[in-house]
Amino acid sequence: IAPLESDIRKLVNEIIDTFIDEPEINFHQAFSVPVPCTMFLRLLGLPNARHGAAVEIVQQDGQRQRLGMQRQNGQQQADQGK
């Protein structure tokens, strides 16, 4: 990671600059997804044009994980009620 530090810092600053003046943001959507997706694409040598597809995959996976956790929690609550 050390050799990538300057690129990561630059990317983080660029992304923060896109929302720095906003009174409120969705941190996950504005920062937590774009930073790793962009770095992943760069590491693989893929163009930023693929960024939208990478973000969509991450968001879909996150939604699946949340749904799975909700189902699991619901099942646990149902089991406890028995």
Side-chain angles (χ1 to χ4, degrees):
I1 293 289
L4 301 172
E5 184 177 354
S6 64
D7 287 340
I8 294 170
R9 285 182 186 273
K10 182 179 177 188
L11 172 64
V12 165
N13 285 327
E14 288 171 1
I15 290 177
I16 289 173
D17 286 346
T18 66
F19 60 77
I20 191 79
D21 294 326
E22 299 295 324
E24 191 172 306
I25 63 160
N26 177 326
F27 187 78
H28 177 76
Q29 189 175 26
F31 186 84
S32 297
V33 172
V35 171
C37 284
T38 302
M39 288 309 301
F40 178 76
L41 291 173
R42 287 182 183 176
L43 288 171
L44 293 178
L46 297 172
N48 272 347
R50 307 287 276 170
H51 188 267
V55 168
E56 187 176 322
I57 290 168
V58 169
Q59 289 174 337
Q60 288 174 357
D61 187 52
Q63 289 171 350
R64 281 193 294 271
Q65 287 178 5
R66 281 190 297 278
L67 288 173
M69 289 171 43
Q70 289 171 351
R71 287 186 193 122
Q72 185 178 20
N73 289 340
Q75 184 61 45
Q76 287 173 351
Q77 290 174 353
D79 291 345
Q80 291 173 355
K82 291 182 181 180

